[in-house]
Amino acid sequence: MIHKYSGETISFDVQYKKRSAIGIYVDVYGNIEVHAPKGTLDAAVLYVIEENWELIQQKVKENKERLLGPQVKQYEQGETFLYLGKACPLNVHHDPQAKQDSVRMKGNELHVVVAQLEEEKIKQALKRFYYRQCKALVEKRISVHQKHFKTKPRSIRITDSKTTWGTCDSGLRLTFNWRLAMAPPRVIDYVVVHEMCHMVHLNHDRSFWRLVGKMVPDYKEDEGWLARSSWKMTV
């Protein structure tokens, strides 16, 4: 079906099924598909499309960008990097007298000071910032949730994992991916709870997920955020 709305031509497929409400789905290639109850009028489908057009556009954009793989960053003024779920622009300052390259939040900006104005120096300063922030954020959330657990983690480490957001081994050693500092606080909280629950259940059996669900009832939303956004959590 093709429909013109707000100066744009919208192309989408409609499937009529045995269901109670209209649903809109965007596949990994950005194609739009509408699932509607049998007998639904075209006018009702178009109304739902128009009401949700901004959200649909955002989803299409995200899915198409995700196909390109991890974002390639430019280490220059105005480039944005995620921090606590928000896109923060770089504010780069060259100070030849600086004893140490540093990054700190200043307003909504990542304020970077480097002695040498080189991409690699800025990149490494950013990574140190995220490592440091991730450790502080994770330790704070562990201390908040510790009252729910009889056992305590023996150690907490921040790592550069390519495959996991966190781990817990049989020795109760917890590790977390430094990129978590780029996620919204609620997502960081979920990953912390997830790994702390492994101190009780080392596998992913029903008992484990019941415990996670008891502490973070909407954890699937947090998993969804990570699945949708991991491609842009990069330095």
Side-chain angles (χ1 to χ4, degrees):
M1 184 178 291
I2 296 176
H3 177 58
K4 288 191 175 181
Y5 175 68
S6 191
E8 296 185 59
T9 299
I10 307 170
S11 178
F12 57 94
D13 293 325
V14 183
Q15 293 187 17
Y16 296 95
K17 300 184 175 185
K18 187 177 180 180
R19 54 184 293 141
S20 60
I22 296 174
I24 303 172
Y25 304 90
V26 179
D27 70 16
V28 294
Y29 301 104
N31 299 312
I32 305 168
E33 190 172 279
V34 178
H35 294 180
K38 292 179 179 179
T40 301
L41 298 177
D42 287 351
V45 172
L46 295 178
Y47 175 80
V48 173
I49 286 286
E50 292 178 1
E51 284 291 294
N52 294 278
W53 184 230
E54 287 187 11
L55 291 175
I56 294 170
Q57 283 183 307
Q58 182 62 32
K59 186 69 174 178
V60 168
K61 180 183 176 183
E62 288 180 356
N63 285 5
K64 287 183 176 179
E65 288 176 339
R66 193 182 309 150
L67 288 175
L68 301 176
Q71 285 187 319
V72 177
K73 293 293 188 179
Q74 303 297 319
Y75 303 93
E76 58 189 30
Q77 210 78 3
E79 175 68 283
T80 59
F81 292 80
L82 282 178
Y83 179 60
L84 296 181
K86 297 179 180 179
C88 301
L90 284 188
N91 190 339
V92 182
H93 294 267
H94 179 211
D95 181 2
Q97 306 302 317
K99 294 181 179 180
Q100 185 176 9
D101 298 337
S102 64
V103 179
R104 64 187 177 89
M105 284 299 299
K106 191 173 183 180
N108 69 329
E109 297 179 332
L110 286 166
H111 189 83
V112 183
V113 178
V114 288
Q116 299 177 46
L117 199 57
E118 299 175 1
E119 286 192 357
E120 188 60 28
K121 296 293 184 182
I122 297 171
K123 180 178 181 178
Q124 292 307 316
L126 283 166
K127 287 187 73 171
R128 287 193 297 273
F129 167 79
Y130 283 113
Y131 264 89
R132 185 173 65 252
Q133 294 302 110
C134 184
K135 193 169 195 310
L137 291 162
V138 162
E139 288 179 343
K140 181 177 180 180
R141 299 316 300 167
I142 287 174
S143 67
V144 168
H145 293 295
Q146 187 58 63
K147 62 180 178 288
H148 300 295
F149 297 89
K150 294 180 181 179
T151 55
K152 294 183 178 181
R154 291 183 181 173
S155 66
I156 302 165
R157 294 178 59 241
I158 307 303
T159 65
D160 188 4
S161 174
K162 304 299 182 186
T163 57
T164 62
W165 295 112
T167 64
C168 173
D169 64 21
S170 58
L172 304 184
R173 291 178 286 265
L174 304 184
T175 65
F176 297 92
N177 191 321
W178 62 268
R179 293 173 182 81
L180 275 178
M182 298 182 175
R186 62 176 177 80
V187 175
I188 298 172
D189 202 54
Y190 159 63
V191 176
V192 167
V193 168
H194 183 114
E195 300 311 327
M196 292 185 79
C197 287
H198 276 313
M199 298 191 303
V200 183
H201 305 284
L202 266 178
N203 53 24
H204 288 96
D205 62 10
R206 290 183 181 180
S207 297
F208 168 80
W209 287 114
R210 276 198 296 269
L211 182 58
V212 171
K214 181 179 179 181
M215 298 184 66
V216 187
D218 55 355
Y219 71 86
K220 287 190 178 296
E221 293 181 15
D222 303 320
E223 289 187 332
W225 190 93
L226 287 170
R228 294 190 306 271
S229 307
S230 60
W231 65 276
K232 55 185 175 182
M233 297 169 72
T234 185
V235 165

